[in-house]
Amino acid sequence: MRRWAIFCNPTSGNFNGHRLEEIQRVLREGGVECRVLPTAYRGHAADLGCAIAGVDCVAVYGGDGTLNEAANGLLGRDLPLAFLPGGTANVMAHELGLPQDPVQAARLLLRGETRTILPGVIGKRAFLLMAGFGFDGMAVQRVSPRLKARLGKFAYVWAGLRSCGARHPPLRVTNGGRPVPGGHWAVVARARHYGGRYVIDRSAGLTQPDLSLVVVPQRGFLPFLVGNLGLGVGRPWGGAVVQHGTAFRIQADTPVPVQVDGDAFGAGTEFILGLAAQPLRLRFPGGAET
């Protein structure tokens, strides 16, 4: 019998104890023995990932932030990571083509396939989805936990609207040492999706050989959000610049707020981003395990 560990975050936006029991039932019916490990503090999933042994796969029932923590703990280990959506945005579910229902996701992942990917990194922190600088970093930091519990994704929308009107310092960005036209909001993306089902760069992806860079000037925030994310226009709106590469530097004269995979990541004036040196084994729905 296969053995899976389930890291669950009881504070995630859509966590439900009954659904967790259903997930375990589905996995048991599929020949998987489950070991449930709740997280108790920020960074706990990373600690669990570093220490876990005696299992064939680690599944995260939580949000994108808990998944990010687990990925950082499993980086470089030959132990697959699976996602069971239980958070607010669940961007990874959209990226992998998983249903938002974690029980249905468990059924698909049982017969899924495991692929090796290289996450992005910002400093020493790996990310699976994106790192955002300026506007969305401020929006994530401004989200009220109480409002998030009540309104879900709309709490991010409200924080984003508030952050659009704030003044953001100009960013100096280089791609492989070459200057990129400046802006006030930058996103380095490992995945196509952003903020849920929205697509920030159609050519991005977890298995692509490079990262995507999007830089938007302050006057272009709303046009980019409406045109590219809302309407899915194929070309950049609002003066946005889209490039690809594996080595980015982002600098500012005053501290810039940052978010990583939807969680606040503090602030700073200089950041180095690239692809991780160590791989991650990530489980995708469908197909046969490799």
Side-chain angles (χ1 to χ4, degrees), residues 7 44-53 58 69-70 72-74 77 79:
F7 297 175
H44 195 183
D47 293 341
L48 291 173
C50 288
I52 193 71
V58 169
E69 289 184 7
N72 275 271
L74 294 173
R77 300 191 62 186
L79 187 56

Side-chain angles (χ1 to χ4, degrees), residues 197-220:
R197 62 181 178 83
Y198 305 108
V199 174
I200 194 164
D201 181 5
R202 295 178 182 177
S203 60
L206 292 165
T207 59
Q208 293 298 317
D210 51 23
L211 298 165
S212 292
L213 168 71
V214 179
V215 183
V216 187
Q218 177 127 11
R219 68 179 184 280

